[in-house]
Amino acid sequence: RDVFWLVVFLLHLLVFGGALALAGLNRFRVADRFNIDRYANHTAAPPSAAVAPPGSDVGVSKEKALPPELTETYWKYYGAAGAVGTLLAWSWLAAAAGKKDGGRVLMRAAVHSLTAYLAVISVLCFWGNHSFWGVALAVGAALHFLYVMSVIDRFPFTMLVLQKAIKMVWELPDVMRVAYAFVLVMLCWMALWSFGVSGIVAMPIPNCGQWWLVLALSVSLFWTGAVLSNTVHVIVSGMVFLVLIHGGQAAASMPPKPLLKSLQYAVTTSFGSICYGSLFTAAIRTLRWEIRGVRSKIGNNECLLCCVDFFFHIVETLVRFFNKYAYVQIAVNGQSFNRSARDAWELFQSTGIEALIAYDCSGAVLLMNTILGGLITGTCTGVWTYFTQRDKAIMVGSTSMLIGMILVGLTVVVVESAVTSIYICYAEDPLLIQRWDPEFFEQMSEALHQRLQYRSSRARQILNGRLDHLPNTSSI
């Protein structure tokens, strides 16, 4: 399915992989091995410098007098970022599922510590005279605090769903091994990526040219990481769906080698749909969470509410075509991405489960864990770079943060896949959840009933309010 996007992704890997290898080798052991700097360095010595007598400094620029920076100068920092990110990723998964309440403690710690961590990093940026990044991180800390305050009443139900999802994952040890293996696969691509980016950072490119190149390569890394994360998503979703339908992994009706078949299916038939959905789902999902948080806290300001509602309806329309629940439908039914997304959304709306999903913040909580892992990775690498290559600390630290986020996200997606699969199974047949965990089924049913009642009363209030503003038509 979606073969066009499969071809685009593979071509992207070839093109960017070649560019990364070229950029890394260009300054590996020898400065400007392929003479690429002549296109970038506009501050080189004038031609008259070539005929200057020996020992003369005439015509030689100060930049040429500096020792040339090589790929090896920065590769060690990215290697450390990969090691820290991998350690955080595997530690997160082990800590989340290691104890009875380990997942709950870990989630709450991430939610409450992210604001403080962003604020601390903001202060460090101001201390290092990086005002732009200090302001950006301070704004991020404020927005995160406001979001948490706007949805804090939803956290008890969110923690319940996450705890049950972690229980589901822990009962499938093969799924845990898949997450660990995909982290190693991502590390292989990151080795090439960090090699190339190290060469670019070492190049003397003026006018912020390094930032633009690194930004383009960061988008490529984000897409690749999203594709691998969503591949894990499809594998885990297929396994969870099979376990719930057949009543357990040890059931006689379970097909032989289900994990191997799910893996084979994810990297062949479904891979094009995974590549396509990975471009958009994360950004749209994050935007939807933020708009929902702002919308729920607007009072009687009708003008502001109208503007927010306009953007809210646009995002809701996009969610119909790009949502994370499509990956479960891809794993189960093998449809294209857009059709799977529409089918999942129509299923939720026809059964009323969408009201429960809108109330659940598990995706946002897991994203907080991912961001926190990236921030810790970026901080460790950035501080080391600051004491050795002070002028490149922000560039190396920000890209290292992306590395950490992707590696931690590869393990976090295992729990997120279990959450999405639980909702799909509950919408398809609630008895599947009842057979797996009767107590959890009762809790979900009660929460759904409360949310539907709340929506019904809210709709009546809005309708009555609009009727009160209509002109008096009794004389007609």
PDB file of all heavy atoms in Angstrom, residues 379-409:
ATOM      1  N   THR A 379      21.441  18.040  26.930  1.00  0.00           N
ATOM      2  CA  THR A 379      22.142  18.765  27.990  1.00  0.00           C
ATOM      3  C   THR A 379      23.510  18.150  28.265  1.00  0.00           C
ATOM      4  O   THR A 379      24.519  18.867  28.371  1.00  0.00           O
ATOM      5  CB  THR A 379      21.305  18.772  29.277  1.00  0.00           C
ATOM      6  OG1 THR A 379      20.016  19.336  29.003  1.00  0.00           O
ATOM      7  CG2 THR A 379      21.981  19.588  30.356  1.00  0.00           C
ATOM      8  N   CYS A 380      23.547  16.828  28.389  1.00  0.00           N
ATOM      9  CA  CYS A 380      24.829  16.149  28.657  1.00  0.00           C
ATOM     10  C   CYS A 380      25.839  16.440  27.555  1.00  0.00           C
ATOM     11  O   CYS A 380      27.009  16.789  27.821  1.00  0.00           O
ATOM     12  CB  CYS A 380      24.603  14.646  28.786  1.00  0.00           C
ATOM     13  SG  CYS A 380      23.612  14.151  30.215  1.00  0.00           S
ATOM     14  N   THR A 381      25.397  16.334  26.301  1.00  0.00           N
ATOM     15  CA  THR A 381      26.316  16.574  25.184  1.00  0.00           C
ATOM     16  C   THR A 381      26.658  18.045  25.053  1.00  0.00           C
ATOM     17  O   THR A 381      27.808  18.410  24.789  1.00  0.00           O
ATOM     18  CB  THR A 381      25.675  16.068  23.878  1.00  0.00           C
ATOM     19  OG1 THR A 381      25.190  14.746  24.065  1.00  0.00           O
ATOM     20  CG2 THR A 381      26.686  16.076  22.757  1.00  0.00           C
ATOM     21  N   GLY A 382      25.648  18.921  25.243  1.00  0.00           N
ATOM     22  CA  GLY A 382      25.898  20.355  25.119  1.00  0.00           C
ATOM     23  C   GLY A 382      26.858  20.895  26.164  1.00  0.00           C
ATOM     24  O   GLY A 382      27.705  21.745  25.863  1.00  0.00           O
ATOM     25  N   VAL A 383      26.754  20.422  27.401  1.00  0.00           N
ATOM     26  CA  VAL A 383      27.657  20.874  28.455  1.00  0.00           C
ATOM     27  C   VAL A 383      29.088  20.448  28.154  1.00  0.00           C
ATOM     28  O   VAL A 383      30.049  21.230  28.327  1.00  0.00           O
ATOM     29  CB  VAL A 383      27.194  20.335  29.822  1.00  0.00           C
ATOM     30  CG1 VAL A 383      28.258  20.552  30.889  1.00  0.00           C
ATOM     31  CG2 VAL A 383      25.881  21.003  30.241  1.00  0.00           C
ATOM     32  N   TRP A 384      29.259  19.207  27.694  1.00  0.00           N
ATOM     33  CA  TRP A 384      30.601  18.744  27.324  1.00  0.00           C
ATOM     34  C   TRP A 384      31.165  19.597  26.189  1.00  0.00           C
ATOM     35  O   TRP A 384      32.326  20.026  26.228  1.00  0.00           O
ATOM     36  CB  TRP A 384      30.533  17.269  26.935  1.00  0.00           C
ATOM     37  CG  TRP A 384      31.874  16.675  26.594  1.00  0.00           C
ATOM     38  CD1 TRP A 384      33.111  17.169  26.924  1.00  0.00           C
ATOM     39  CD2 TRP A 384      32.121  15.478  25.853  1.00  0.00           C
ATOM     40  NE1 TRP A 384      34.106  16.353  26.437  1.00  0.00           N
ATOM     41  CE2 TRP A 384      33.526  15.305  25.779  1.00  0.00           C
ATOM     42  CE3 TRP A 384      31.291  14.541  25.256  1.00  0.00           C
ATOM     43  CZ2 TRP A 384      34.097  14.233  25.114  1.00  0.00           C
ATOM     44  CZ3 TRP A 384      31.866  13.449  24.600  1.00  0.00           C
ATOM     45  CH2 TRP A 384      33.255  13.303  24.533  1.00  0.00           C
ATOM     46  N   THR A 385      30.350  19.867  25.175  1.00  0.00           N
ATOM     47  CA  THR A 385      30.810  20.675  24.047  1.00  0.00           C
ATOM     48  C   THR A 385      31.143  22.093  24.484  1.00  0.00           C
ATOM     49  O   THR A 385      32.081  22.718  23.963  1.00  0.00           O
ATOM     50  CB  THR A 385      29.722  20.706  22.949  1.00  0.00           C
ATOM     51  OG1 THR A 385      29.279  19.380  22.669  1.00  0.00           O
ATOM     52  CG2 THR A 385      30.266  21.319  21.676  1.00  0.00           C
ATOM     53  N   TYR A 386      30.375  22.631  25.446  1.00  0.00           N
ATOM     54  CA  TYR A 386      30.585  24.011  25.893  1.00  0.00           C
ATOM     55  C   TYR A 386      31.991  24.211  26.465  1.00  0.00           C
ATOM     56  O   TYR A 386      32.613  25.263  26.263  1.00  0.00           O
ATOM     57  CB  TYR A 386      29.535  24.362  26.949  1.00  0.00           C
ATOM     58  CG  TYR A 386      29.633  25.775  27.463  1.00  0.00           C
ATOM     59  CD1 TYR A 386      29.080  26.836  26.746  1.00  0.00           C
ATOM     60  CD2 TYR A 386      30.284  26.051  28.662  1.00  0.00           C
ATOM     61  CE1 TYR A 386      29.181  28.138  27.218  1.00  0.00           C
ATOM     62  CE2 TYR A 386      30.381  27.347  29.144  1.00  0.00           C
ATOM     63  CZ  TYR A 386      29.830  28.387  28.423  1.00  0.00           C
ATOM     64  OH  TYR A 386      29.926  29.670  28.889  1.00  0.00           O
ATOM     65  N   PHE A 387      32.506  23.217  27.150  1.00  0.00           N
ATOM     66  CA  PHE A 387      33.817  23.364  27.779  1.00  0.00           C
ATOM     67  C   PHE A 387      34.969  23.037  26.819  1.00  0.00           C
ATOM     68  O   PHE A 387      36.135  23.237  27.179  1.00  0.00           O
ATOM     69  CB  PHE A 387      33.919  22.464  29.010  1.00  0.00           C
ATOM     70  CG  PHE A 387      33.089  22.956  30.167  1.00  0.00           C
ATOM     71  CD1 PHE A 387      31.915  22.301  30.518  1.00  0.00           C
ATOM     72  CD2 PHE A 387      33.473  24.068  30.884  1.00  0.00           C
ATOM     73  CE1 PHE A 387      31.145  22.748  31.577  1.00  0.00           C
ATOM     74  CE2 PHE A 387      32.717  24.525  31.947  1.00  0.00           C
ATOM     75  CZ  PHE A 387      31.547  23.874  32.300  1.00  0.00           C
ATOM     76  N   THR A 388      34.664  22.561  25.623  1.00  0.00           N
ATOM     77  CA  THR A 388      35.721  22.247  24.655  1.00  0.00           C
ATOM     78  C   THR A 388      35.588  23.043  23.359  1.00  0.00           C
ATOM     79  O   THR A 388      36.572  23.512  22.804  1.00  0.00           O
ATOM     80  CB  THR A 388      35.716  20.740  24.331  1.00  0.00           C
ATOM     81  OG1 THR A 388      34.395  20.351  23.918  1.00  0.00           O
ATOM     82  CG2 THR A 388      36.105  19.921  25.558  1.00  0.00           C
ATOM     83  N   GLN A 389      34.367  23.175  22.853  1.00  0.00           N
ATOM     84  CA  GLN A 389      34.092  23.944  21.624  1.00  0.00           C
ATOM     85  C   GLN A 389      32.905  24.867  21.905  1.00  0.00           C
ATOM     86  O   GLN A 389      31.784  24.608  21.483  1.00  0.00           O
ATOM     87  CB  GLN A 389      33.769  22.991  20.455  1.00  0.00           C
ATOM     88  CG  GLN A 389      34.847  22.004  20.128  1.00  0.00           C
ATOM     89  CD  GLN A 389      35.962  22.652  19.321  1.00  0.00           C
ATOM     90  OE1 GLN A 389      35.774  23.670  18.684  1.00  0.00           O
ATOM     91  NE2 GLN A 389      37.143  22.042  19.374  1.00  0.00           N
ATOM     92  N   ARG A 390      33.150  25.946  22.637  1.00  0.00           N
ATOM     93  CA  ARG A 390      32.068  26.771  23.174  1.00  0.00           C
ATOM     94  C   ARG A 390      31.146  27.322  22.094  1.00  0.00           C
ATOM     95  O   ARG A 390      29.929  27.368  22.263  1.00  0.00           O
ATOM     96  CB  ARG A 390      32.649  27.914  23.999  1.00  0.00           C
ATOM     97  CG  ARG A 390      31.609  28.838  24.610  1.00  0.00           C
ATOM     98  CD  ARG A 390      32.228  29.789  25.611  1.00  0.00           C
ATOM     99  NE  ARG A 390      32.827  29.088  26.735  1.00  0.00           N
ATOM    100  CZ  ARG A 390      33.303  29.694  27.819  1.00  0.00           C
ATOM    101  NH1 ARG A 390      33.262  31.023  27.911  1.00  0.00           N
ATOM    102  NH2 ARG A 390      33.821  28.988  28.811  1.00  0.00           N
ATOM    103  N   ASP A 391      31.688  27.710  20.948  1.00  0.00           N
ATOM    104  CA  ASP A 391      30.865  28.342  19.919  1.00  0.00           C
ATOM    105  C   ASP A 391      29.944  27.354  19.213  1.00  0.00           C
ATOM    106  O   ASP A 391      29.003  27.762  18.530  1.00  0.00           O
ATOM    107  CB  ASP A 391      31.755  29.040  18.883  1.00  0.00           C
ATOM    108  CG  ASP A 391      32.731  28.074  18.232  1.00  0.00           C
ATOM    109  OD1 ASP A 391      33.218  27.165  18.930  1.00  0.00           O
ATOM    110  OD2 ASP A 391      33.004  28.232  17.024  1.00  0.00           O
ATOM    111  N   LYS A 392      30.175  26.055  19.372  1.00  0.00           N
ATOM    112  CA  LYS A 392      29.332  25.052  18.711  1.00  0.00           C
ATOM    113  C   LYS A 392      28.442  24.291  19.709  1.00  0.00           C
ATOM    114  O   LYS A 392      27.828  23.294  19.345  1.00  0.00           O
ATOM    115  CB  LYS A 392      30.225  24.032  17.976  1.00  0.00           C
ATOM    116  CG  LYS A 392      31.126  24.659  16.907  1.00  0.00           C
ATOM    117  CD  LYS A 392      30.318  25.269  15.788  1.00  0.00           C
ATOM    118  CE  LYS A 392      31.202  25.962  14.763  1.00  0.00           C
ATOM    119  NZ  LYS A 392      32.135  25.079  14.079  1.00  0.00           N
ATOM    120  N   ALA A 393      28.378  24.764  20.952  1.00  0.00           N
ATOM    121  CA  ALA A 393      27.642  24.022  21.984  1.00  0.00           C
ATOM    122  C   ALA A 393      26.155  23.939  21.670  1.00  0.00           C
ATOM    123  O   ALA A 393      25.536  22.883  21.830  1.00  0.00           O
ATOM    124  CB  ALA A 393      27.859  24.678  23.345  1.00  0.00           C
ATOM    125  N   ILE A 394      25.546  25.038  21.204  1.00  0.00           N
ATOM    126  CA  ILE A 394      24.110  25.033  20.933  1.00  0.00           C
ATOM    127  C   ILE A 394      23.782  24.131  19.755  1.00  0.00           C
ATOM    128  O   ILE A 394      22.806  23.355  19.789  1.00  0.00           O
ATOM    129  CB  ILE A 394      23.615  26.470  20.673  1.00  0.00           C
ATOM    130  CG1 ILE A 394      23.704  27.300  21.952  1.00  0.00           C
ATOM    131  CG2 ILE A 394      22.180  26.461  20.171  1.00  0.00           C
ATOM    132  CD1 ILE A 394      22.780  26.843  23.055  1.00  0.00           C
ATOM    133  N   MET A 395      24.576  24.189  18.695  1.00  0.00           N
ATOM    134  CA  MET A 395      24.309  23.367  17.524  1.00  0.00           C
ATOM    135  C   MET A 395      24.430  21.883  17.848  1.00  0.00           C
ATOM    136  O   MET A 395      23.555  21.076  17.509  1.00  0.00           O
ATOM    137  CB  MET A 395      25.261  23.741  16.386  1.00  0.00           C
ATOM    138  CG  MET A 395      25.012  22.972  15.099  1.00  0.00           C
ATOM    139  SD  MET A 395      26.131  23.447  13.769  1.00  0.00           S
ATOM    140  CE  MET A 395      25.610  25.122  13.474  1.00  0.00           C
ATOM    141  N   VAL A 396      25.498  21.518  18.534  1.00  0.00           N
ATOM    142  CA  VAL A 396      25.697  20.108  18.883  1.00  0.00           C
ATOM    143  C   VAL A 396      24.652  19.663  19.908  1.00  0.00           C
ATOM    144  O   VAL A 396      24.091  18.566  19.818  1.00  0.00           O
ATOM    145  CB  VAL A 396      27.122  19.891  19.423  1.00  0.00           C
ATOM    146  CG1 VAL A 396      27.293  18.458  19.920  1.00  0.00           C
ATOM    147  CG2 VAL A 396      28.146  20.190  18.344  1.00  0.00           C
ATOM    148  N   GLY A 397      24.349  20.529  20.877  1.00  0.00           N
ATOM    149  CA  GLY A 397      23.367  20.165  21.901  1.00  0.00           C
ATOM    150  C   GLY A 397      21.974  19.983  21.339  1.00  0.00           C
ATOM    151  O   GLY A 397      21.255  19.051  21.716  1.00  0.00           O
ATOM    152  N   SER A 398      21.545  20.863  20.412  1.00  0.00           N
ATOM    153  CA  SER A 398      20.197  20.760  19.847  1.00  0.00           C
ATOM    154  C   SER A 398      20.045  19.520  18.980  1.00  0.00           C
ATOM    155  O   SER A 398      19.015  18.837  19.017  1.00  0.00           O
ATOM    156  CB  SER A 398      19.861  22.016  19.047  1.00  0.00           C
ATOM    157  OG  SER A 398      20.819  22.229  18.014  1.00  0.00           O
ATOM    158  N   THR A 399      21.061  19.202  18.179  1.00  0.00           N
ATOM    159  CA  THR A 399      20.975  17.992  17.365  1.00  0.00           C
ATOM    160  C   THR A 399      21.075  16.728  18.224  1.00  0.00           C
ATOM    161  O   THR A 399      20.445  15.712  17.920  1.00  0.00           O
ATOM    162  CB  THR A 399      22.084  17.991  16.290  1.00  0.00           C
ATOM    163  OG1 THR A 399      23.342  18.338  16.897  1.00  0.00           O
ATOM    164  CG2 THR A 399      21.778  18.993  15.195  1.00  0.00           C
ATOM    165  N   SER A 400      21.843  16.803  19.300  1.00  0.00           N
ATOM    166  CA  SER A 400      21.909  15.664  20.230  1.00  0.00           C
ATOM    167  C   SER A 400      20.574  15.455  20.928  1.00  0.00           C
ATOM    168  O   SER A 400      20.190  14.316  21.218  1.00  0.00           O
ATOM    169  CB  SER A 400      23.008  15.893  21.266  1.00  0.00           C
ATOM    170  OG  SER A 400      24.269  15.994  20.659  1.00  0.00           O
ATOM    171  N   MET A 401      19.858  16.540  21.191  1.00  0.00           N
ATOM    172  CA  MET A 401      18.520  16.419  21.770  1.00  0.00           C
ATOM    173  C   MET A 401      17.600  15.644  20.838  1.00  0.00           C
ATOM    174  O   MET A 401      16.821  14.790  21.278  1.00  0.00           O
ATOM    175  CB  MET A 401      17.951  17.808  22.043  1.00  0.00           C
ATOM    176  CG  MET A 401      16.499  17.802  22.495  1.00  0.00           C
ATOM    177  SD  MET A 401      15.847  19.474  22.681  1.00  0.00           S
ATOM    178  CE  MET A 401      14.085  19.102  22.833  1.00  0.00           C
ATOM    179  N   LEU A 402      17.686  15.914  19.537  1.00  0.00           N
ATOM    180  CA  LEU A 402      16.876  15.179  18.567  1.00  0.00           C
ATOM    181  C   LEU A 402      17.229  13.695  18.573  1.00  0.00           C
ATOM    182  O   LEU A 402      16.340  12.830  18.500  1.00  0.00           O
ATOM    183  CB  LEU A 402      17.071  15.768  17.165  1.00  0.00           C
ATOM    184  CG  LEU A 402      16.270  15.148  16.037  1.00  0.00           C
ATOM    185  CD1 LEU A 402      14.770  15.303  16.271  1.00  0.00           C
ATOM    186  CD2 LEU A 402      16.656  15.761  14.690  1.00  0.00           C
ATOM    187  N   ILE A 403      18.523  13.387  18.676  1.00  0.00           N
ATOM    188  CA  ILE A 403      18.955  11.986  18.745  1.00  0.00           C
ATOM    189  C   ILE A 403      18.339  11.302  19.959  1.00  0.00           C
ATOM    190  O   ILE A 403      17.807  10.184  19.872  1.00  0.00           O
ATOM    191  CB  ILE A 403      20.493  11.917  18.786  1.00  0.00           C
ATOM    192  CG1 ILE A 403      21.079  12.318  17.434  1.00  0.00           C
ATOM    193  CG2 ILE A 403      20.962  10.519  19.169  1.00  0.00           C
ATOM    194  CD1 ILE A 403      22.592  12.382  17.413  1.00  0.00           C
ATOM    195  N   GLY A 404      18.397  11.960  21.113  1.00  0.00           N
ATOM    196  CA  GLY A 404      17.827  11.373  22.323  1.00  0.00           C
ATOM    197  C   GLY A 404      16.329  11.179  22.228  1.00  0.00           C
ATOM    198  O   GLY A 404      15.794  10.156  22.671  1.00  0.00           O
ATOM    199  N   MET A 405      15.621  12.159  21.643  1.00  0.00           N
ATOM    200  CA  MET A 405      14.174  12.040  21.505  1.00  0.00           C
ATOM    201  C   MET A 405      13.787  10.850  20.634  1.00  0.00           C
ATOM    202  O   MET A 405      12.840  10.112  20.938  1.00  0.00           O
ATOM    203  CB  MET A 405      13.599  13.323  20.916  1.00  0.00           C
ATOM    204  CG  MET A 405      13.545  14.497  21.867  1.00  0.00           C
ATOM    205  SD  MET A 405      12.864  15.984  21.095  1.00  0.00           S
ATOM    206  CE  MET A 405      11.211  15.413  20.661  1.00  0.00           C
ATOM    207  N   ILE A 406      14.510  10.647  19.552  1.00  0.00           N
ATOM    208  CA  ILE A 406      14.180   9.545  18.643  1.00  0.00           C
ATOM    209  C   ILE A 406      14.444   8.204  19.305  1.00  0.00           C
ATOM    210  O   ILE A 406      13.632   7.264  19.207  1.00  0.00           O
ATOM    211  CB  ILE A 406      14.976   9.683  17.333  1.00  0.00           C
ATOM    212  CG1 ILE A 406      14.456  10.888  16.541  1.00  0.00           C
ATOM    213  CG2 ILE A 406      14.892   8.414  16.503  1.00  0.00           C
ATOM    214  CD1 ILE A 406      15.248  11.208  15.309  1.00  0.00           C
ATOM    215  N   LEU A 407      15.563   8.077  20.005  1.00  0.00           N
ATOM    216  CA  LEU A 407      15.883   6.800  20.651  1.00  0.00           C
ATOM    217  C   LEU A 407      14.908   6.478  21.780  1.00  0.00           C
ATOM    218  O   LEU A 407      14.431   5.345  21.899  1.00  0.00           O
ATOM    219  CB  LEU A 407      17.312   6.838  21.176  1.00  0.00           C
ATOM    220  CG  LEU A 407      18.417   6.846  20.110  1.00  0.00           C
ATOM    221  CD1 LEU A 407      19.778   7.073  20.734  1.00  0.00           C
ATOM    222  CD2 LEU A 407      18.410   5.552  19.309  1.00  0.00           C
ATOM    223  N   VAL A 408      14.579   7.472  22.601  1.00  0.00           N
ATOM    224  CA  VAL A 408      13.601   7.243  23.664  1.00  0.00           C
ATOM    225  C   VAL A 408      12.220   6.995  23.069  1.00  0.00           C
ATOM    226  O   VAL A 408      11.456   6.151  23.556  1.00  0.00           O
ATOM    227  CB  VAL A 408      13.572   8.436  24.638  1.00  0.00           C
ATOM    228  CG1 VAL A 408      12.473   8.273  25.674  1.00  0.00           C
ATOM    229  CG2 VAL A 408      14.924   8.576  25.337  1.00  0.00           C
ATOM    230  N   GLY A 409      11.891   7.710  21.986  1.00  0.00           N
ATOM    231  CA  GLY A 409      10.599   7.513  21.339  1.00  0.00           C
ATOM    232  C   GLY A 409      10.412   6.115  20.786  1.00  0.00           C
ATOM    233  O   GLY A 409       9.280   5.614  20.713  1.00  0.00           O
TER     234      GLY A 409
END
